Amino acid sequence: MLSAILAILGSSTVGSLIGGIFAFLNKKADIEIRRLDQAHELELRKEDRELAKIEAEGKLQVAVAESEGEIESSRMTAIGQAHVADNLGAEEIKSAGGWAWLLILTDAFRRLIRPVLTLLLVSMALYLNWLLVERLGTGWDALSTEQKYDAAMQAFAWITGQASAVLGYWFVSRGQSK
């Protein structure tokens, strides 16, 4: 019986069967290694995409900041050129001949229009605000002096805020004339 068992174990069928089992296990291990490599490769690609996305966002922010700076620089250059073009020079006055007085008067009017309009607007706003406080206040006479003072200070704060917006626009945002 032992010889029969050894004969069967030594046969090519058993050897082929054992070789087939080990080949199957080897192939299974190769497939598992390939699957792990592919999963690792996918993770690396995800990281690459995320890094590329962050890099693209950074480049976009830099491009936006540079373009905004370029726009602001161009705007300031245009304002400067407009002021240079608005300056009245001696050559222009000489070339105007008999009409030089009109040219000088027009230049003076152009330079005074913003301050005069600002003063007029601020004065009218203060006057209207005072009228509102004085005439439209319900029970104004019943208020104490401190309450009247507080209401007047609130109104003054409101109107000076409005005036500062006007002054800021006319004299700062639009540039200054020389």
Side-chain angles (χ1 to χ4, degrees):
M1 167 124 189
L2 187 58
S3 348
I5 292 175
L6 287 176
I8 292 175
L9 288 177
S11 72
S12 63
T13 307
V14 173
S16 294
L17 186 63
I18 292 174
I21 291 171
F22 282 120
F24 172 75
L25 293 175
N26 198 14
K27 188 69 166 174
K28 186 177 176 185
D30 286 344
I31 290 171
E32 184 64 23
I33 288 172
R34 197 172 314 138
R35 187 188 65 75
L36 290 174
D37 282 345
Q38 287 176 347
H40 178 69
E41 198 66 32
L42 283 174
E43 286 297 318
L44 287 177
R45 294 297 166 245
K46 284 181 186 177
E47 291 296 323
D48 288 344
R49 277 190 306 222
E50 193 65 33
L51 184 62
K53 181 180 174 184
I54 291 170
E55 187 176 317
E57 288 173 358
K59 286 181 180 179
L60 176 66
Q61 289 174 352
V62 167
V64 166
E66 285 176 349
S67 64
E68 286 175 352
E70 186 71 27
I71 289 169
E72 190 63 24
S73 173
S74 298
R75 187 175 86 79
M76 290 300 168
T77 301
I79 288 172
Q81 289 172 349
H83 286 301
V84 168
D86 279 349
N87 287 338
L88 184 61
E91 297 85 26
E92 292 173 348
I93 294 173
K94 285 180 185 178
S95 67
W99 294 97
W101 64 272
L102 184 59
L103 192 60
I104 293 170
L105 188 62
T106 304
D107 186 56
F109 179 74
R110 183 185 55 80
R111 291 177 189 270
L112 290 175
I113 193 73
R114 277 197 270 170
V116 169
L117 279 178
T118 301
L119 184 61
L120 182 67
L121 284 173
V122 170
S123 299
M124 289 304 295
L126 282 171
Y127 176 71
L128 287 174
N129 198 40
W130 182 253
L131 282 178
L132 287 173
V133 168
E134 199 53 42
R135 295 204 176 122
L136 297 179
T138 306
W140 185 255
D141 294 332
L143 295 177
S144 69
T145 305
E146 288 108 16
Q147 290 171 329
K148 287 179 182 179
Y149 177 77
D150 287 340
M153 286 295 104
Q154 288 295 324
F156 184 72
W158 177 79
I159 200 62
T160 54
Q162 297 301 314
S164 72
V166 169
L167 292 171
Y169 171 71
W170 282 14
F171 291 105
V172 177
S173 296
R174 291 186 52 207
Q176 298 178 1
S177 59
K178 293 182 179 185

